[in-house]
Amino acid sequence: MLQTRRARHRPLALAVAFFSVLAWLGLGSLAHAGAATASGGEFVPVSPSSKIVDTRSSLGVTTALGAASTTSFQVTGVGGVPSSGVSAVSLVVKAVNATSSGSYLELWPDGTTKPSPGSTVNFASGSPTSNAAIVAVGSNGMIDVYNSSGSVDLVVDVSGYFTGDGGAASSGGYVPVTQSRLVDTRNGTGAPTAQIAPGGTLNVQIDGEAGITDEASVYANLIVPASGDHGALYAYASGGSSGQPVVDYKSVTTSQGAVIPVGTDGQITLKNGSSTQSIDVVLDVYGYFSEAASDGGLFTAVQDRLLDTRTSTAVPAGESVSVMVGGRDGVPTSFGAAVLNVTTTGQQSSGYLRVWPTGQPMPTTTSVDSFQTNTSTADLVIAQPGDQGAVSFYNGSSGTIQLIVDLEGWFSIDGNSDDGALATLPPVEPSETDLTEAPTDPEAATSEPAAPTDTASSDITPYPATCNPHGVYKPSSLKGKYIHAIGPSQTNYNNTSSKATSTFTAEVTGTVGIALSGSLKVTLNELVAQQEATFGINFSASLTAKLGNSITVTIPPHSSVGAKYGVWRRHIVGTSYNVTSLCGHVNVSTVKSYTPYTVGWYTWQN
């Protein structure tokens, strides 16, 4: 059920200097012949998460996995996953009772060639080790798993699935946001400064935070700082059942990516599964799966190894490496996010990784893959691309590390096409009943930011004592594409038994500007500049659709095709506010904009 929620946004400042070691060449081949690809679609959460394999009780697989063995297990038709129309699944994969001092699990769709090399979970004997994964399913609805050495019990939990051919239409495109730390119980960020007691819970507000709105699930990286003991952390929709654990934490710092359903109140619940140990929790958000079918990118599964520094040069302490994703393994140069399994090994000291879009400032608060000396750890990351479709990784330790990056798939920018290609979707235009073609703060749009009229809020900082009053705008969430049509829609019907072509021509001309809601405290040009810098897309304050522009399309037999010509705009959510002379923030407003970026056609088949 779609819920109406009031969005609240928090601005995030990111600034740090870093040294980048580019790895366009030499750190992994450009492509592998064994790369496995499968088309995907929208995400549907399974809430609560469900256990589908546990070799300890012969659930799904009857015996523990042997050394150098491959085992298959059923995914479709079990644990809340439909029996058909599924392209891929979101899993938590756990290795338990391992006998090897160092082994790994690799997963891939049954009936296809095993990607080599690749890994999903890296583990050793001792406490359970888990990791999240997004894996395509075979045509028979099964997945294969390979265990490299020793024997190990396998536990698999499913948290959702992606629709495919024959799947029912549903909401769930992926929307990346500027990564942000929402919770850190060690210092009171987003929660009380207090550990979660044994068996205790903590509710976390998701909706309205960090640009997240109209979400069904959130993708986050969860960190349990050194707890002194092992245990399980649950994360689930507020008001729902806890389902299965998302992180098996150890006595040392443990981190893991997770896809978490969000409750109707816009919150999730974190539960400490230990009966004896209190824990701190850190939660960083990177994106969400939308409730709205017109928002977010669709998923395509593809497996390949993008980087392995063991064949070249280790990543030095305090330095970074960039990995090209776009243009490889069928991934377009422009895409929404990459699903990566990131493994660190051979570490000289403990530390963490940071991941961010290449060419943008490195985040200073968020992190993934907390690792220990001389261990191998893996973490799922859904990462936004930067320059030329690349992703950067920072070694946050005092020693060198070996870094392995495996591709599990990618998300398109969103589900709508602006290239004139024939679509089966109906024509798309947003409802703009609360929007205008000019900002709601006229002074800000024309020249200088509007003067503050409110009393400064409580976030005034003691230093510096004074500030130059100014307006601020910060975009946080890049959402769907929408066409603002110039002139009426056109249609043509092919009443023959063969394919036919039809040419549509624009009969009017017109200019389309930025549609806004909320109170903007900067000029339109600054809004455009900030959006371009954040998302790497060329935007304009206005674009003109020309008279006489044409497009030719092929119409299937006994079918009709419709066409619209106009200006394509991106739906962007952000915040705008005034900074006072006392350095406080006043007049804070959520700003939603539809910003022009290209002129073109939208065609669809009826």
Side-chain angles (χ1 to χ4, degrees):
M1 180 180 295
L2 297 182
Q3 301 293 322
T4 301
R5 301 178 180 135
R6 183 178 180 181
R8 295 181 299 146
H9 304 275
R10 96 174 38 167
L12 174 66
L14 301 176
V16 67
F18 66 96
F19 173 78
S20 179
V21 180
L22 293 179
W24 311 128
L25 300 172
L27 299 183
S29 61
L30 293 179
H32 293 279
T37 304
S39 296
E42 298 168 332
F43 181 74
V44 181
V46 172
S47 182
S49 58
S50 177
K51 184 181 296 184
I52 60 174
V53 173
D54 191 338
T55 58
R56 298 169 299 181
S57 60
S58 297
L59 173 66
V61 176
T62 57
T63 60
L65 309 185
S69 67
T70 298
T71 306
S72 302
F73 59 90
Q74 188 71 34
V75 174
T76 59
V78 297
V81 179
S83 58
S84 62
V86 175
S87 62
V89 286
S90 173
L91 306 174
V92 174
V93 183
K94 183 188 303 183
V96 184
N97 300 324
T99 62
S100 173
S101 59
S103 183
Y104 66 89
L105 300 177
E106 181 177 4
L107 283 77
W108 69 96
D110 185 54
T112 66
T113 303
K114 174 182 176 293
S116 182
S119 65
T120 302
V121 183
N122 296 76
F123 57 91
S125 57
S127 58
T129 302
S130 61
N131 191 24
I134 296 177
V135 186
V137 300
S139 58
N140 57 0
M142 301 185 77
I143 287 176
D144 292 344
V145 56
Y146 172 81
N147 173 41
S148 67
S149 64
S151 67
V152 64
D153 279 307
L154 175 69
V155 179
V156 179
D157 304 324
V158 61
S159 59
Y161 61 90
F162 293 86
T163 59
D165 293 340
S170 61
S171 61
Y174 183 74
V175 182
V177 299
T178 301
Q179 53 188 271
S180 177
R181 177 153 292 179
L182 293 192
V183 171
D184 189 339
T185 59
R186 297 170 300 180
N187 58 24
T189 298
T193 308
Q195 292 185 320
I196 303 177
T201 60
L202 172 67
N203 278 13
V204 177
Q205 182 69 32
I206 298 295
D207 185 71
E209 301 295 322
I212 298 173
T213 182
D214 296 328
E215 72 290 336
S217 302
V218 63
Y219 166 69
N221 196 72
L222 290 162
I223 304 170
V224 179
S227 62
D229 198 0
H230 66 274
L233 177 67
Y234 297 78
Y236 52 96
S238 172
S241 300
S242 59
Q244 302 301 314
V246 296
V247 180
D248 286 280
Y249 61 82
K250 303 178 184 298
S251 59
V252 296
T253 299
T254 309
S255 64
Q256 186 170 309
V259 177
I260 309 166
V262 180
T264 57
D265 58 358
Q267 297 187 346
I268 64 171
T269 298
L270 304 178
K271 179 181 177 180
N272 180 10
S274 173
S275 60
T276 59
Q277 178 70 44
S278 296
I279 59 171
D280 282 303
V281 175
V282 178
L283 184 145
D284 299 334
V285 293
Y286 292 79
Y288 64 95
F289 292 96
S290 175
E291 287 185 326
S294 60
D295 284 343
L298 304 183
F299 178 70
T300 297
V302 56
Q303 289 181 269
D304 199 8
R305 176 149 290 178
L306 302 181
L307 173 69
D308 188 344
T309 63
R310 295 174 299 180
T311 64
S312 54
T313 305
V315 184
E319 295 185 3
S320 62
V321 60
S322 295
V323 180
M324 182 65 78
V325 182
R328 301 171 63 173
D329 299 310
V331 182
T333 55
S334 179
F335 61 98
V339 181
L340 306 173
N341 189 73
V342 181
T343 304
T344 50
T345 190
Q347 305 93 333
Q348 295 180 334
S349 62
S350 60
Y352 57 87
L353 292 177
R354 287 188 175 130
V355 56
W356 75 100
T358 300
Q360 296 186 19
M362 184 177 73
T364 58
T365 57
T366 56
S367 63
V368 299
D369 191 23
S370 300
F371 51 79
Q372 306 300 314
T373 305
N374 294 323
T375 62
S376 294
T377 61
D379 199 355
L380 177 75
V381 179
I382 302 181
Q384 288 189 68
D387 292 348
Q388 304 178 53
V391 176
S392 292
F393 298 87
Y394 170 80
N395 173 13
S397 76
S398 59
T400 62
I401 63 169
Q402 301 290 354
L403 178 63
I404 304 166
V405 180
D406 292 326
L407 178 67
E408 293 187 356
W410 57 278
F411 291 96
S412 62
I413 293 178
D414 58 45
N416 300 327
S417 173
D418 59 1
D419 59 6
L422 193 65
T424 56
L425 300 172
V428 177
E429 283 200 54
S431 172
E432 297 184 8
T433 55
D434 61 340
L435 300 176
T436 64
E437 293 294 341
T440 55
D441 194 334
E443 291 183 40
T446 55
S447 56
E448 296 302 317
T453 57
D454 299 358
T455 301
S457 59
S458 59
D459 65 350
I460 296 175
T461 54
Y463 297 101
T466 61
C467 287
N468 292 323
H470 63 282
V472 174
Y473 166 72
K474 293 186 177 182
S476 56
S477 177
L478 182 67
K479 301 173 72 66
K481 299 178 182 178
Y482 299 90
I483 188 168
H484 186 101
I486 302 298
S489 300
Q490 304 176 53
T491 59
N492 203 350
Y493 180 71
N494 176 14
N495 195 29
T496 72
S497 299
S498 304
K499 294 180 180 179
T501 60
S502 178
T503 299
F504 297 99
T505 303
E507 299 174 348
V508 295
T509 183
T511 299
V512 176
I514 299 174
L516 285 171
S517 68
S519 181
L520 183 65
K521 307 302 179 185
V522 299
T523 65
L524 287 180
N525 286 338
E526 185 170 346
L527 174 137
V528 169
Q530 290 293 333
Q531 292 177 345
E532 288 184 333
T534 301
F535 302 117
I537 298 173
N538 292 325
F539 291 109
S540 300
S542 65
L543 287 174
T544 300
K546 304 289 186 180
L547 177 68
N549 189 284
S550 298
I551 189 173
T552 300
V553 298
T554 299
I555 307 178
H558 304 293
S559 299
S560 62
V561 167
K564 284 183 176 184
Y565 177 65
V567 174
W568 283 91
R569 301 188 293 185
R570 294 305 301 260
H571 182 196
I572 299 171
V573 178
T575 55
S576 191
Y577 54 89
N578 288 115
V579 175
T580 71
S581 59
L582 296 178
C583 304
H585 296 173
V586 297
N587 304 330
V588 179
S589 176
T590 296
V591 174
K592 299 179 181 180
S593 72
Y594 291 89
T595 306
Y597 71 99
T598 192
V599 176
W601 287 88
Y602 182 79
T603 61
W604 67 96
Q605 178 184 335
N606 293 325

